[in-house]
Amino acid sequence: MNHIVKCLSSSLLVGMTMVACNSDFLDTKPLDKVSGDAVWSDQNLSEAFVTDVYNGIRDGVLDQMSFDCQTDNALYSFGKQDVNEANVSPSNLGTVKNTMEWSAMYSRIRAANIALANLAKPKFDNATVADRMKGEMYFMRGYFYNQLLRYYGAVPLIKSPYTLDNPDFTIARNTYEECVNSIVSDLDSAAILLKGKTLTSGRATMGAAMALKARVLLYAASDLHDIPTAKAKSTVIAGFNKPELLGYVSGDRIARWTKARDAAKAVIDLNQYGYKLNLTAPVPAAEGQQNYVNMYLSRNGGEADGIFLKYYIRASFDDWGSWYPRNNMPNGYHGWTSSQPTQQLVDNYEMMDGTRFDWKNPAHAATPYENRDPRFYASILYDGAQWKPRTPDGAGIDPAGQIQMGEYEVGSSAAPTKYSGLDTRNSSIENWNGTWTGYAIRKFMDPDPTLVDQNIRQEVPSIQIRFTEVVLNYVEACLALGQEAEAKTWLNKVRFRVGMPAITETGAALVTRYQNERNIEMLFEDQRFYDVRRWMIAPTALGKQAQIIVITGKLKPGKTVTTYKYSKDNYTYSYSVQDLGTGKENRKWADKIYFLPISRDEINRNKQLVQNPGYQ
């Protein structure tokens, strides 16, 4: 503005024309932005735009609050979850992760649309790279749409970027079937454009596109999205006048299961993925535990299970996912114990012989953490578990580096003193961030004893899609199609790898065993929330209060202990299972939360949107 004023003043004073003050200054470009034309004319800038679209994944499964905290598997320490109390509404959405939040996903979808529109006829001279980027954007658009679809049901499909020339920015929800078809089409396009790219590098690959397609088709075939089945199981769904937004109102369900099975088998037949799935008998328990750790750390061969992952490097910016251990380690290690496994989850881990754990069994009740599925020891930090060395302020109190989740006696048995475990809410190290349930997460934690998790970020990737999920998807589809022998063959491959014996059941009992196996294997990987809904077992699985464990250690007669350490020689331990209590979180189920509400703000902005059933 000052430049314009000076030019005008000069012309008025000396009677000169403004030739010297030409209009070039009006064409100046911002120094902190790049024009759209410049982006899509330059290969490197185009690549940067495409790469940024991946940031819609955020921290994936390594968020501070595990998505399993909105299921029976876990509890969030820092605030009740409205969805667990069936207390969500269009004006109170509760805690919605960024990876399925409506506006966040549509923002990334718009970015993918912009990329696809500009890459249709690339302005830089490298068709191979342009095709690869198009494939990635088809994948990511399908990925983001599926995040919305499995959370809300059908959504509006927008396949091109809006511009200011659009006469109307409102659009109705497509049908569920149309959404599935659109996502599958995007993933098929991605697989073609990314042909030959199967091994994960943090980017979309042909294998990732095929694996996500298998997930989408499995969900589409499930009970919740077969409207005749869903109506029979839910009066809320039965009373909804737009059921086509929730699932298939007609059609051949066997054909849908067949498509899901074939899509999963196509990934298996690539022969590019898989970790120790060629076993014919269970490995030893210790080896099985390490196999499971190798997979979730993506190390020592376990990376072969990964299909689509988000990676972290310590030297990068402050990714929240790389702080996962600090956010979820016990307070006795100066962690926050944010996401805490429940007793329901712990009870779902089988005994080593494949039988169910049972508190009514005296042997089980006396030693509840012995002879369990090796994945239990790889996934859960429990009382007495061996873990990392303590930080200096705790090393003298616990030189053994063992998890302390109980209340114990120290001193002499004749005149004992009460001692509160370092990882309880009565800890002498920190007491504001201790576990409520008596457990903490171990899965996804780097066990390196030199990593002090309170101030050093880890480099464990967030697993978005892995091969074992594809195998379990294949198993589920085979079960639905009555192909039990094939289903058990692959289900037992998964179990043998972790040291568990073969499953031999048939019929409904086999389906129940499969559902539990899927939960244990895919723990904390954003599966449980959707699985209990699409199987329509949520009323029983989620409609109960979270359970906790209360542990006491009483000195045996004649014993004296000065520094506490877990010891069955010195202590008699007792374990009491209790409900957490409704003051912390009053869990209950209502059929409306099969599908989550669309925000009132979105409804107000777009009058064509129809709200999900059960919400006003």
Side-chain angles (χ1 to χ4, degrees):
M1 177 62 75
N2 289 338
H3 185 66
I4 297 173
V5 170
K6 288 179 181 177
C7 288
L8 290 172
S9 299
S10 298
S11 65
L12 291 171
L13 289 171
V14 301
M16 297 176 61
T17 64
M18 294 179 60
V19 174
C21 291
N22 60 45
S23 62
D24 288 350
F25 69 89
L26 296 176
D27 297 327
T28 57
K29 299 177 181 178
L31 299 178
D32 61 341
K33 296 180 177 64
V34 181
S35 71
D37 288 341
V39 168
W40 301 109
S41 298
D42 183 283
Q43 178 180 320
N44 291 330
L45 292 176
S46 298
E47 188 82 70
F49 185 99
V50 165
T51 299
D52 183 67
V53 176
Y54 284 88
N55 286 326
I57 296 171
R58 300 295 291 262
D59 294 305
V61 302
L62 298 186
D63 209 345
Q64 177 184 355
M65 188 195 82
S66 169
F67 201 25
D68 277 26
C69 291
Q70 296 188 359
T71 77
D72 52 333
N73 281 345
L75 173 80
Y76 186 55
S77 184
F78 302 116
K80 62 178 64 179
Q81 297 302 296
D82 287 313
V83 68
N84 290 341
E85 297 188 331
N87 194 34
V88 291
S89 68
S91 58
N92 175 35
L93 303 180
T95 303
V96 183
K97 291 184 67 173
N98 288 305
T99 50
M100 67 276 300
E101 196 273 327
W102 188 280
S103 61
M105 291 297 92
Y106 270 110
S107 174
R108 297 296 173 173
I109 289 167
R110 181 176 185 274
N113 285 338
I114 290 171
L116 287 168
N118 283 280
L119 290 168
K121 293 182 179 180
K123 298 175 183 177
F124 55 84
D125 188 21
N126 194 327
T128 300
V129 170
D131 282 348
R132 189 258 300 164
M133 287 194 284
K134 281 192 290 186
E136 292 180 34
M137 291 297 91
Y138 276 121
F139 173 84
M140 292 309 302
R141 186 169 70 180
Y143 181 93
F144 295 134
Y145 266 124
N146 187 55
Q147 290 294 93
L148 291 169
L149 181 67
R150 60 182 184 161
Y151 197 73
Y152 299 101
V155 296
L157 291 172
I158 303 169
K159 304 302 276 290
S160 59
Y162 277 148
T163 69
L164 293 177
D165 296 329
N166 283 87
D168 186 6
F169 294 98
T170 66
I171 183 172
R173 296 169 70 176
N174 287 77
T175 68
Y176 182 86
E177 182 175 5
E178 288 169 343
C179 289
V180 170
N181 291 344
S182 177
I183 293 168
V184 168
S185 176
D186 274 355
L187 297 174
D188 283 342
S189 295
I192 292 170
L193 289 163
L194 298 171
K195 186 175 182 180
K197 299 182 183 298
T198 53
L199 299 181
T200 185
S201 61
R203 290 186 174 274
T205 61
M206 180 181 75
M210 294 172 65
L212 182 55
K213 175 181 175 179
R215 177 191 289 177
V216 171
L217 291 174
L218 180 82
Y219 279 47
S222 300
D223 281 5
L224 181 62
H225 303 295
D226 181 68
I227 295 303
T229 302
K231 282 184 173 182
K233 294 184 177 184
S234 169
T235 56
V236 171
I237 294 175
F240 189 45
N241 64 358
K242 291 283 186 180
E244 66 274 12
L245 301 180
L246 311 180
Y248 293 83
V249 295
S250 62
D252 186 350
R253 194 176 182 195
I254 295 299
R256 294 198 288 274
W257 279 118
T258 301
K259 286 182 179 180
R261 179 201 62 190
D262 292 349
K265 189 60 163 58
V267 182
I268 293 171
D269 289 344
L270 289 173
N271 293 317
Q272 292 291 320
Y273 306 104
Y275 176 62
K276 295 188 177 181
L277 288 174
N278 59 347
L279 303 168
T280 57
V283 300
E287 182 180 343
Q289 179 179 338
Q290 188 59 50
N291 286 343
Y292 193 67
V293 171
N294 289 344
M295 283 188 293
Y296 69 62
L297 293 181
S298 297
R299 297 177 189 168
N300 304 318
E303 58 269 30
D305 195 54
I307 295 180
F308 184 53
L309 297 80
K310 176 174 180 177
Y311 291 90
Y312 302 96
I313 57 172
R314 196 167 293 124
S316 183
F317 58 87
D318 192 343
D319 282 302
W320 200 243
S322 63
W323 284 115
Y324 188 76
R326 180 203 63 187
N327 296 343
N328 287 290
M329 287 288 289
N331 56 317
Y333 288 84
H334 296 282
W336 301 350
T337 334
S338 300
S339 300
Q340 306 165 5
T342 62
Q343 189 63 48
Q344 284 99 325
L345 168 63
V346 171
D347 288 350
N348 282 332
Y349 282 93
E350 298 172 1
M351 305 301 292
M352 273 299 301
D353 63 2
T355 58
R356 281 196 63 82
F357 175 85
D358 187 355
W359 282 105
K360 295 179 181 179
N361 182 317
H364 293 183
T367 55
Y369 306 136
E370 295 184 8
N371 300 314
R372 304 294 289 272
D373 182 329
R375 287 169 294 190
F376 168 71
Y377 306 105
S379 302
I380 310 295
L381 291 174
Y382 57 93
D383 186 61
Q386 195 68 46
W387 192 230
K388 295 184 179 184
R390 298 279 179 177
T391 50
D393 55 344
I397 307 171
D398 172 32
Q402 294 177 338
I403 300 299
Q404 300 179 359
M405 295 290 191
E407 301 288 332
Y408 319 103
E409 293 178 344
V410 293
S412 70
S413 60
T417 301
K418 181 181 177 182
Y419 165 71
S420 297
L422 294 183
D423 305 305
T424 69
R425 296 191 71 81
N426 294 315
S427 172
S428 60
I429 292 181
E430 292 183 3
N431 59 16
W432 61 274
N433 49 359
T435 178
W436 295 91
T437 66
Y439 300 101
I441 294 174
R442 176 177 172 177
K443 187 174 179 180
F444 297 120
M445 306 285 189
D446 191 328
D448 183 350
T450 67
L451 286 179
V452 181
D453 296 300
Q454 70 178 110
N455 52 35
I456 300 177
R457 292 182 287 121
Q458 69 173 16
E459 294 183 327
V460 174
S462 176
I463 300 172
Q464 306 308 115
I465 307 173
R466 64 184 178 103
F467 184 65
T468 301
E469 180 199 340
V470 176
V471 170
L472 293 173
N473 294 348
Y474 179 67
V475 168
E476 185 172 336
C478 285
L479 288 175
L481 294 169
Q483 299 166 1
E484 289 193 353
E486 179 73 355
K488 282 191 282 190
T489 294
W490 283 94
L491 189 59
N492 289 331
K493 287 176 183 286
V494 174
R495 289 172 64 83
F496 291 165
R497 179 177 60 195
V498 295
M500 291 299 288
I503 288 174
T504 59
E505 284 90 343
T506 61
L510 175 57
V511 172
T512 298
R513 290 294 297 276
Y514 159 75
Q515 290 177 345
N516 190 67
E517 183 70 17
R518 184 181 178 96
N519 186 34
I520 295 302
E521 177 67 27
M522 304 300 295
L523 179 66
F524 303 139
E525 296 182 38
D526 286 9
Q527 299 283 340
R528 183 68 171 173
F529 181 92
Y530 300 112
D531 285 345
V532 294
R533 284 169 168 76
R534 64 187 183 81
W535 294 333
M536 300 195 77
I537 64 169
T540 54
L542 305 185
K544 301 173 183 175
Q545 302 304 325
Q547 290 189 321
I548 67 174
I549 193 76
V550 176
I551 303 168
T552 58
K554 185 177 178 59
L555 282 166
K556 290 182 176 180
K559 297 295 183 178
T560 298
V561 171
T562 55
T563 300
Y564 176 76
K565 179 181 179 181
Y566 178 80
S567 170
K568 290 194 294 182
D569 292 333
N570 291 329
Y571 288 91
T572 298
Y573 292 96
S574 62
Y575 306 87
S576 174
V577 176
Q578 302 176 10
D579 284 350
L580 175 63
T582 58
K584 176 64 178 172
E585 191 173 75
N586 186 19
R587 294 188 171 191
K588 61 183 178 181
W589 174 260
D591 278 6
K592 68 178 183 178
I593 51 177
Y594 273 121
F595 298 91
L596 280 298
I598 300 170
S599 164
R600 179 164 293 161
D601 289 341
E602 296 296 339
I603 296 289
N604 289 340
R605 276 192 287 263
N606 182 359
K607 298 300 184 182
Q608 294 195 59
L609 286 180
V610 173
Q611 184 59 268
N612 277 330
Y615 305 102
Q616 299 298 322

